[in-house]
């Protein structure tokens, strides 16, 4: 099968969710299928990715020619802006360039605040894309698009269980030495954007727990909230703000992972932490409650106080059975690729 992957931005480094999804789909699909990846408005990109600069609606003779020559059987579109009206317009143009090839849109977040005058357009798009599909990990977006009769499927993204895996005690100590992390501390980790929507202020409170060192690894490509950075730094939180290629090593040197979500439908970092068999503390949001029940070190919290109490319990071994890796192993990139290829 010939598969075209098109994404709006695929600039290095690959350090945030949408770009990670694009990268893993590209590399996984390339193992079995003929894949052409094209991106728009990107500077440095991964090897093998074609850069074609276009306008907002992808009107481009060069892009049309490239797609026409390739003759895709399937087009995979991963927009920056999820399932907006403009995303559907661009998807329709890509489909036209591909001689009406089947198209799958990966809508990474939702719901979308559609304007009233967009509702007629949504009905038209749902009819136009009746033989195509939208994949999303957002239950809210799934429900929203179902109302407009889109062929939408609720699917989780994947995790690379070969890269993200548990480390033994010796390796953990070596990694702590490598990154200058206190060898005897109980390390509470968060990986992701340093922005207000991530509710990171709780790490200032976690840092006050005796024997705990909090650690946040931020994304380099997403602007950081300076006010939050200052608060965290002054509280003693250890901050890593440059790009880390071997991000799995930070999970492997840690003892617990905390994600107090909000604006994210499915944080890849939670899956990565679970693949490294870390106990995970998170609130119920996005697709997580659909995929996982509480237990085996996967713990839902209701409040900030819950997080503090749960970390103390884990630190003092009150919660003994940790089996988060087994919970996440079914959700591989191969599984997502299998779903895409059967559409």
């Amino acid at each position: 099968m010939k598969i075209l992957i098109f994404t709006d931005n695929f600039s290095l480094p690959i350090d945030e969710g949408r770009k990670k999804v694009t990268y893993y789909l590209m590399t996984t699909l390339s193992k079995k299928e003929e894949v052409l990846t094209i991106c728009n408005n990107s500077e440095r990109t991964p090897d093998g990715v074609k850069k074609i600069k276009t306008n907002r609606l992808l009107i481009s003779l060069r892009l049309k020619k490239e797609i026409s020559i390739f003759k895709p059987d399937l087009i995979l579109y991963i927009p920056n802006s999820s399932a907006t009206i403009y995303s559907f317009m661009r998807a329709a143009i890509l489909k036209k360039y591909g001689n009406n090839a089947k198209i799958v849109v990966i809508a990474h977040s939702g719901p979308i605040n559609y304007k009233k005058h967009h509702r007629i357009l949504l009905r038209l798009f749902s009819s136009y894309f009746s033989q195509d599909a939208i994949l999303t990990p957002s239950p809210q977006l799934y429900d929203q698009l179902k109302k407009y009769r889109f062929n939408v499927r609720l699917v989780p993204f994947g995790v690379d269980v070969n890269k993200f895996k548990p480390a033994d005690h010796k390796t953990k100590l070596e990694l702590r030495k490598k990154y200058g992390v206190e060898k005897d501390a109980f390390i509470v980790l968060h990986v992701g954007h340093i922005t207000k929507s991530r509710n990171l202020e709780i790490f200032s409170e976690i840092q006050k727990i005796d024997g705990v060192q909090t650690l946040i690894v931020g994304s380099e490509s997403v602007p950081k909230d300076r006010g939050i950075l200052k608060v965290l730094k002054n509280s003693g939180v250890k901050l890593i703000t440059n790009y880390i290629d071997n991000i799995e090593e930070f999970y492997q040197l840690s003892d617990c992972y905390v994600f107090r979500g909000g604006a994210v439908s499915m944080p890849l970092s939670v899956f990565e932490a679970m693949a490294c068999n870390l106990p995970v503390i998170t609130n119920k949001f996005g697709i997580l409650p659909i995929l996982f029940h509480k237990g085996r070190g996967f713990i839902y919290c209701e409040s900030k106080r819950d997080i503090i109490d749960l970390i103390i319990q884990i630190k003092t071994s009150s919660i003994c059975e940790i089996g988060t890796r087994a919970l996440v192993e079914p959700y591989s990139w191969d599984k997502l690729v299998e779903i895409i290829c059967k559409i």
Side-chain angles (χ1 to χ4, degrees), residues 31 151 250 299 306 327 340:
K31 294 173 185 176
N151 178 18
F250 281 90
I299 311 163
D306 277 353
L327 296 176
I340 291 169

Side-chain angles (χ1 to χ4, degrees), residues 125-264:
F125 280 130
S126 68
S127 177
Y128 182 73
F129 293 120
S130 61
Q131 301 303 309
D132 305 300
I134 300 169
L135 305 184
T136 181
S138 167
Q140 294 86 358
L141 183 60
Y142 173 84
D143 291 339
Q144 193 176 24
L145 293 177
K146 268 293 183 186
K147 291 178 183 177
Y148 293 100
R149 300 180 183 175
F150 280 93
N151 178 18
V152 58
R153 303 187 190 185
L154 185 65
V155 296
F157 294 144
V159 63
D160 184 348
V161 293
N162 295 315
K163 178 177 181 177
F164 296 93
K165 55 189 177 183
D168 58 29
H169 184 67
K170 181 183 177 184
T171 303
K172 179 178 281 194
L173 291 179
E174 289 171 351
L175 290 173
R176 291 188 175 194
K177 183 177 180 181
K178 175 180 177 179
Y179 292 107
V181 177
E182 189 179 340
K183 68 173 186 174
D184 295 323
F186 185 87
I187 307 298
V188 178
L189 176 70
H190 176 83
V191 176
H193 310 327
I194 301 177
T195 58
K196 197 167 186 65
S197 65
R198 290 299 178 99
N199 301 305
L200 297 177
E201 294 87 347
I202 184 61
F203 280 81
S204 298
E205 298 301 315
I206 297 170
Q207 183 62 36
K208 296 175 184 177
I209 302 172
D210 186 45
V212 165
Q213 175 61 59
T214 49
L215 171 61
I216 296 177
V217 182
S219 167
E220 185 179 280
S221 59
V222 175
K224 301 164 187 65
D225 187 304
R226 292 185 179 181
I228 293 172
L229 269 176
K230 185 177 180 180
V231 169
L232 294 172
K233 189 174 182 180
N234 290 342
S235 301
V237 177
K238 185 174 179 64
L239 297 165
I240 308 292
T241 55
N242 56 302
Y243 173 67
I244 303 294
D245 189 40
N246 299 321
I247 188 65
E248 71 278 6
E249 294 183 340
F250 281 90
Y251 294 103
Q252 291 167 342
L253 67 78
S254 299
D255 298 297
C256 180
Y257 190 78
V258 171
F259 193 111
R260 192 162 176 265
V264 184

Side-chain angles (χ1 to χ4, degrees), residues 270-281:
V270 168
F271 274 36
E272 291 166 356
M274 293 173 73
C276 293
N277 208 42
L278 287 179
V280 170
I281 300 172

Side-chain angles (χ1 to χ4, degrees), residues 5-11 37-43 45 49-53:
I5 298 175
F6 186 89
T7 187
D8 298 322
N9 187 326
F10 203 10
S11 298
T37 303
I38 301 176
C39 67
N40 179 26
N41 298 327
S42 301
E43 296 178 3
T45 59
V49 176
K50 255 184 187 174
K51 294 181 286 183
I52 299 179
K53 193 168 184 178

